[in-house]
């Protein structure tokens, strides 16, 4: 994916989250995650991505720190 594609996709994600609202954001992200995971061949491709995202959350990525 190019940087432009990544930017376009992230912008669309943000806009979709705004449309569904905060009360359904977790449901939306869960449904999207399952759809994207289904496109991969094995759990071994998914699990490292999940661990990386979890580490970033634990390290405070994106919270202004």
């Amino acid at each position: 994916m190019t940087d432009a594609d990544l930017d376009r996709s992230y912008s669309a994600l943000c806009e979709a989250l705004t449309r569904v609202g905060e009360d359904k954001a977790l449901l939306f992200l869960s449904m999207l995650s399952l759809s994207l995971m289904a496109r991969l061949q094995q759990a071994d491709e998914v699990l490292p991505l999940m661990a990386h995202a979890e580490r970033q959350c634990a390290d405070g990525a994106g919270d202004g720190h």
Side-chain angles (χ1 to χ4, degrees), residues 26-51:
L26 183 57
L27 175 62
F28 172 83
L29 290 171
S30 296
M31 293 170 69
L32 176 61
S33 295
L34 285 172
S35 294
L36 293 171
M37 283 189 277
R39 294 178 176 270
L40 298 173
Q41 297 297 312
Q42 302 175 30
D44 289 344
E45 296 174 89
V46 175
L47 298 177
L49 298 171
M50 290 173 54

Side-chain angles (χ1 to χ4, degrees), residues 4-61:
D5 286 335
L6 188 57
D7 184 59
R8 189 171 129 209
S9 299
Y10 182 75
S11 293
L13 173 63
C14 292
E15 291 166 4
L17 283 167
T18 298
R19 286 191 300 273
V20 301
E22 189 175 338
D23 60 322
K24 293 195 177 164
L26 183 57
L27 175 62
F28 172 83
L29 290 171
S30 296
M31 293 170 69
L32 176 61
S33 295
L34 285 172
S35 294
L36 293 171
M37 283 189 277
R39 294 178 176 270
L40 298 173
Q41 297 297 312
Q42 302 175 30
D44 289 344
E45 296 174 89
V46 175
L47 298 177
L49 298 171
M50 290 173 54
H52 177 72
E54 185 177 357
R55 281 192 306 274
Q56 285 186 307
C57 287
D59 292 342

